[in-house]
Amino acid sequence: MKKVIIATFITLTISAAYSQEKINLPSADSIQAMLIKMNVPGVSIATIENGVINKVMSVGQIMNKKPTPIDAIFNTASLAKAITAYLTVSLVEEGKLAMDEKLYKYWIDPDLKGDKRVKKLTPDIILSHRTGFDNWRTMNDEQKLRFNSDPGTAFSYSGEGYEYLRKSLEIKFDKTFSELVEAHILGPLNMQNTYLSWSDEVDEKTYAGEFKSLNEPYEITKSAPSAADDLLTTALDLGKFCEKLLERISTGAYHQYIEAKTEAMPGIKFSYGWIRFDELPNGGYALFNAGGDTGVSAMMCLLPETKEGIVILSNGENRGMVINLMKMALGANGAEMVSRFPQG
């Protein structure tokens, strides 16, 4: 006899000021059916309309088959890169750092000692994925950090680059990365349930877990703080982060940092910490960030010109769940963004 999966839906309406939502989320029942079909236990979603969070929604289950709480904490993998980019921009705006600052003055990775190209590495080159590094050093035969191209000359998506920046900032400011992020982002934005790594402060009762399928959880990832990976957070907290970014973009304070810096492939460009999609069906542009790892998949997307946004966090590794929800919620714009990625 098949086990019966009890669907649990939790929705928190933050603002009821708008009679019609521009972001078209499926019903909770439809989302639950999608979860079962795609073998994903649970999901949390936050939507932003007119620049403010207007809904946070949780569906499905987390660890130990508990209903997904509205404040469920998810591992969001590479969404950490948007946090790192925002921190770096904040330090630049405060006059404490420059985007073209040479980082070799603070940090040289042992694998790169003797390579003069380290003198070319800057926050600008790292944040726009032009270091020439592999994504991770474990991906090459030597298992060492190396330059595959000269810094600044070609696109090369790299978590190693962001980690290089983290180590440089820690040495320059004589503070841990966690301390810098807390002071410039988590504290000011009241992101009370966001962590750069697993700690005793994480409430295991609300941790969503990491799943291969509905009933196959992985062991909980307990990594060190990273500038590139394993950000632990909630849909609401990331919604607050997106709110602030939209506010800063709308006032013109952030425009130079969201401009396209490098092209990964036709129609897909990178700014600092975000993918930028131009020439969308609505005539505008979008900022997109995705995180996927063993047992988790997440994304956030902003449409700055209409002040809309969406955050989708899931505790399953089937990325189709997040992708399909994004396409449904953002309509023609969502479909266009997905179509630009390699298929298959």
Side-chain angles (χ1 to χ4, degrees):
M1 182 177 178
K2 293 183 178 180
K3 293 182 179 179
V4 176
I5 299 177
I6 300 175
T8 302
F9 317 129
I10 304 174
T11 302
L12 173 64
T13 300
I14 306 296
S15 171
Y18 315 110
S19 59
Q20 184 177 359
E21 295 179 7
K22 297 177 184 178
I23 296 178
N24 299 307
L25 277 180
S27 68
D29 287 324
S30 296
I31 293 174
Q32 180 62 38
M34 291 172 63
L35 287 170
I36 295 171
K37 181 178 180 181
M38 296 194 174
N39 229 358
V40 175
V43 65
S44 281
I45 304 165
T47 60
I48 298 170
E49 302 278 1
N50 295 291
V52 297
I53 299 168
N54 73 317
K55 180 182 288 185
V56 180
M57 179 183 194
S58 288
V59 182
Q61 298 179 336
I62 60 171
M63 297 290 288
N64 300 317
K65 298 189 177 181
K66 295 178 181 177
T68 307
I70 204 71
D71 58 348
I73 297 171
F74 289 78
N75 182 335
T76 66
S78 289
L79 298 195
K81 294 182 177 71
I83 297 293
T84 300
Y86 191 94
L87 168 65
T88 306
V89 168
S90 298
L91 293 169
V92 169
E93 291 181 328
E94 292 172 7
K96 298 176 180 177
L97 181 71
M99 277 297 178
D100 61 355
E101 193 161 340
K102 305 299 184 181
L103 298 179
Y104 77 92
K105 296 182 293 182
Y106 313 112
W107 168 252
I108 297 176
D109 189 280
D111 288 350
L112 298 176
K113 286 187 176 179
D115 194 321
K116 295 180 179 180
R117 288 175 291 184
V118 296
K119 293 186 177 182
K120 297 181 179 181
L121 292 172
T122 64
D124 168 71
I125 285 173
I126 287 173
L127 292 178
S128 55
H129 293 287
R130 294 178 292 140
T131 58
F133 296 152
D134 294 301
N135 190 8
W136 298 108
R137 69 188 74 195
T138 53
M139 293 179 172
N140 64 59
D141 294 338
E142 299 172 357
Q143 303 278 294
K144 291 184 177 181
L145 188 63
R146 67 186 187 188
F147 290 108
N148 297 314
S149 59
D150 289 344
T153 62
F155 172 79
S156 57
Y157 185 86
S158 180
E160 288 281 3
Y162 276 63
E163 281 293 271
Y164 204 103
L165 178 59
R166 173 181 68 81
K167 293 170 185 174
S168 300
L169 294 179
E170 288 181 331
I171 293 170
K172 175 180 172 65
F173 293 103
D174 194 24
K175 294 181 183 294
T176 67
F177 189 67
S178 297
E179 289 171 336
L180 290 169
V181 171
E182 176 65 34
H184 289 84
I185 302 174
L186 305 188
L189 300 186
N190 195 30
M191 295 170 66
Q192 298 181 354
N193 292 305
T194 297
Y195 311 89
L196 296 179
S197 64
W198 190 270
S199 75
D200 293 337
E201 296 179 12
V202 179
D203 185 356
E204 292 197 39
K205 295 178 182 177
T206 60
Y207 187 61
E210 300 148 25
F211 287 78
K212 182 177 182 180
S213 64
L214 284 169
N215 297 303
E216 294 182 85
Y218 290 104
E219 184 177 347
I220 294 174
T221 300
K222 296 186 178 181
S223 57
S226 171
D229 201 10
D230 290 331
L231 176 72
L232 304 181
T233 188
T234 66
L236 177 59
D237 271 9
L238 279 183
K240 294 176 182 178
F241 176 70
C242 290
E243 267 188 342
K244 185 63 176 179
L245 191 54
L246 284 172
E247 174 191 322
R248 300 200 65 205
I249 293 171
S250 69
T251 61
Y254 211 86
H255 273 288
Q256 62 179 309
Y257 305 113
I258 59 169
E259 293 299 324
K261 309 297 179 183
T262 185
E263 186 171 57
M265 60 187 69
I268 298 179
K269 300 175 183 179
F270 274 80
S271 63
Y272 294 149
W274 293 81
I275 292 174
R276 177 169 171 138
F277 291 99
D278 289 306
E279 299 178 357
L280 293 177
N282 70 350
Y285 71 97
L287 300 175
F288 174 85
N289 205 310
D293 214 336
T294 301
V296 297
S297 183
M299 62 76 62
M300 51 185 175
C301 186
L302 303 178
L303 299 170
E305 292 172 330
T306 56
K307 298 184 181 180
E308 297 169 299
I310 187 167
V311 174
I312 306 172
L313 312 180
S314 79
N315 56 358
E317 60 190 41
N318 185 347
R319 300 185 187 188
M321 180 70 204
V322 170
I323 290 170
N324 286 347
L325 274 175
M326 185 185 100
K327 288 170 67 176
M328 293 177 183
L330 300 183
N333 286 329
E336 173 63 23
M337 284 185 270
V338 171
S339 74
R340 294 187 190 180
F341 288 105
Q343 303 302 305

